[in-house]
Amino acid sequence: MIRMKKRLVIKGPKIQDVGYRLFLFEIAESNALTGFQARNISEGIEVLIEGEESNMNNFIKATITSFPPHAQVEKVITEDYERVVMSIENFYRLFTLQQLVKMATAGVELLEKQDTLLNKQDQMLKKQDTMIEKQEMMLKKQDEMLAKQDIMIEKQDIIIKEIKGLREDLKIFIEERF
């Protein structure tokens, strides 16, 4: 059995932040590679692999023919590699740690955004309380105006009665004189 080492560079417009390294790690595990490393580089993703020739060839074929759902790949460059390749177990530990750090960072960012949203919500509730207070003041004023209107209507009714009384008196006076 021949052991080999290879370096692959995966290039394309959308290959980072789509779960590509985890996708490649799964293929490496399923092909029983002994060494595996994957990292984001400026040109795309660099993958270092080590293992038996047939397993390596299967990994390379899978890498060329299948991609994560949201990835957009232009090409996969394969070349021989001579340096040390991290054991797949060590990569697993490192990768897990990197992902936990990403999740912790994302969690902190989410909490900060949540705090910001809660502060904005508190401000909105304070404004809403102010608006309700103003609305209550307006309703009190409206009640006062309605009470004054009722008083005016009562006075108007009294005046109408007085006018009717005066008309009656005037009618009697006129009838008596003429």
Side-chain angles (χ1 to χ4, degrees):
M1 292 186 205
I2 300 173
R3 294 188 65 74
M4 299 173 53
K5 294 179 186 178
K6 295 279 184 184
R7 176 180 183 259
L8 287 76
V9 176
I10 303 168
K11 296 182 176 189
K14 185 69 176 162
I15 57 172
Q16 294 183 4
D17 297 324
V18 293
Y20 216 130
R21 291 181 298 156
L22 187 60
F23 176 81
L24 294 168
F25 180 64
E26 182 180 17
I27 296 171
E29 279 283 356
S30 66
N31 283 288
L33 297 183
T34 55
F36 178 81
Q37 287 174 250
R39 67 184 182 112
N40 292 335
I41 58 174
S42 61
E43 306 96 58
I45 296 177
E46 177 186 59
V47 183
L48 306 176
I49 54 175
E50 182 177 355
E52 295 180 15
E53 184 177 15
S54 63
N55 295 350
M56 298 268 289
N57 289 335
N58 289 337
F59 176 86
I60 292 168
K61 284 178 192 171
T63 304
I64 292 171
T65 59
S66 59
F67 317 111
H70 300 288
Q72 296 172 1
V73 178
E74 287 178 351
K75 62 182 171 179
V76 178
I77 300 168
T78 305
E79 56 190 40
D80 290 334
Y81 189 73
E82 297 298 325
R83 296 190 208 151
V84 174
V85 177
M86 183 183 295
S87 75
I88 200 161
E89 292 83 12
N90 285 344
F91 177 78
Y92 174 73
R93 283 195 301 275
L94 175 65
F95 186 71
T96 301
L97 180 61
Q98 289 171 341
Q99 296 307 305
L100 286 172
V101 168
K102 271 187 180 180
M103 286 190 297
T105 302
V108 168
E109 289 172 1
L110 283 174
L111 288 174
E112 287 173 354
K113 287 180 181 178
Q114 184 180 23
D115 287 344
T116 301
L117 288 172
L118 287 172
N119 286 334
K120 286 182 180 180
Q121 185 179 20
D122 287 344
Q123 290 172 359
M124 287 176 61
L125 288 172
K126 285 178 185 176
K127 287 180 181 178
Q128 186 178 15
D129 288 343
T130 303
M131 288 175 62
I132 288 172
E133 288 173 7
K134 287 181 179 180
Q135 186 178 22
E136 286 173 353
M137 287 172 42
M138 287 176 62
L139 288 172
K140 283 181 185 177
K141 286 183 180 182
Q142 186 178 15
D143 288 342
E144 290 172 6
M145 287 184 67
L146 288 172
K148 288 178 181 179
Q149 189 177 13
D150 287 342
I151 292 170
M152 287 177 66
I153 289 173
E154 287 174 11
K155 287 182 179 180
Q156 185 180 6
D157 288 343
I158 293 170
I159 291 171
I160 289 172
K161 283 181 187 176
E162 285 182 21
I163 291 174
K164 283 182 183 178
L166 283 174
R167 282 179 69 196
E168 222 22 69
D169 289 346
L170 191 58
K171 183 180 173 185
I172 293 170
F173 176 73
I174 292 174
E175 284 177 1
E176 288 177 357
R177 281 204 116 186
F178 296 107

